[in-house]
Amino acid sequence: MILGIGTDLANIERIEGTIARFGERFLSRVFTERERARAERRPYATAATYAKRWAAKEACSKALGTGLRMGIAWKDMSVTNLSSGQPVMHVTGWAKARLEALTPPGHRAVIHVTLTDDHPWAHAMVMIEARPDASG
């Protein structure tokens, strides 16, 4: 069953300008070290990589049904990639607690995320699914 869907569109140039203006203060507040390492390894697409992750965090917060309020922190949501390149959303802290509260008994939550960019836009969509827990 679908627990939540969220989508977000971010302007890559706006994120690039925010990085230029606020630098470390912005980056350390919003992105995990792992997210930052991935973006910095992509000098040809650093701003686009950050913009996609920004959009993913916004989309995830919407799928959780809250948006960025109620105690959720930017770094409570993070995106990594499988070796195939497929993005994976991780939640910790308040976002994880919210996900657990949304998940019906006897089910486990699966977060699906897709990212794309076409300059100047970056887009993310997050869908949270509850699957019956086969371990119980």
Side-chain angles (χ1 to χ4, degrees):
M1 90 183 62
I2 304 300
L3 299 178
I5 297 173
T7 186
D8 194 67
L9 185 66
N11 184 288
I12 296 168
E13 293 170 357
R14 181 176 146 249
I15 297 296
E16 189 172 40
T18 302
I19 293 168
R21 183 172 177 196
F22 297 104
E24 180 63 25
R25 193 170 100 200
F26 169 72
L27 294 173
S28 65
R29 180 175 163 248
V30 175
F31 301 102
T32 65
E33 288 300 320
R34 193 165 177 187
E35 288 173 315
R36 293 178 65 182
R38 178 166 178 89
E40 298 304 324
R41 282 193 309 266
R42 306 178 81 223
Y44 54 90
T46 302
T49 302
Y50 281 127
K52 285 186 284 191
R53 277 146 182 76
W54 171 279
K57 292 167 189 263
E58 288 273 10
C60 185
S61 71
K62 292 171 185 176
L64 289 169
T66 63
L68 285 160
R69 58 185 176 91
M70 295 176 58
I72 197 166
W74 286 102
K75 292 198 283 187
D76 283 348
M77 302 164 289
S78 66
V79 178
T80 62
N81 294 82
L82 300 176
S83 59
S84 65
Q86 177 183 348
V88 178
M89 177 64 71
H90 305 273
V91 292
T92 58
W94 186 90
K96 183 176 180 181
R98 174 70 178 158
L99 180 63
E100 289 169 354
L102 286 174
T103 307
H107 290 75
R108 64 182 175 85
V110 178
I111 303 174
H112 303 275
V113 60
T114 186
L115 308 173
T116 191
D117 67 281
D118 187 9
H119 193 86
W121 302 107
H123 177 262
M125 182 173 178
V126 171
M127 181 182 70
I128 304 173
E129 172 188 14
R131 291 185 183 166
D133 190 359
S135 66

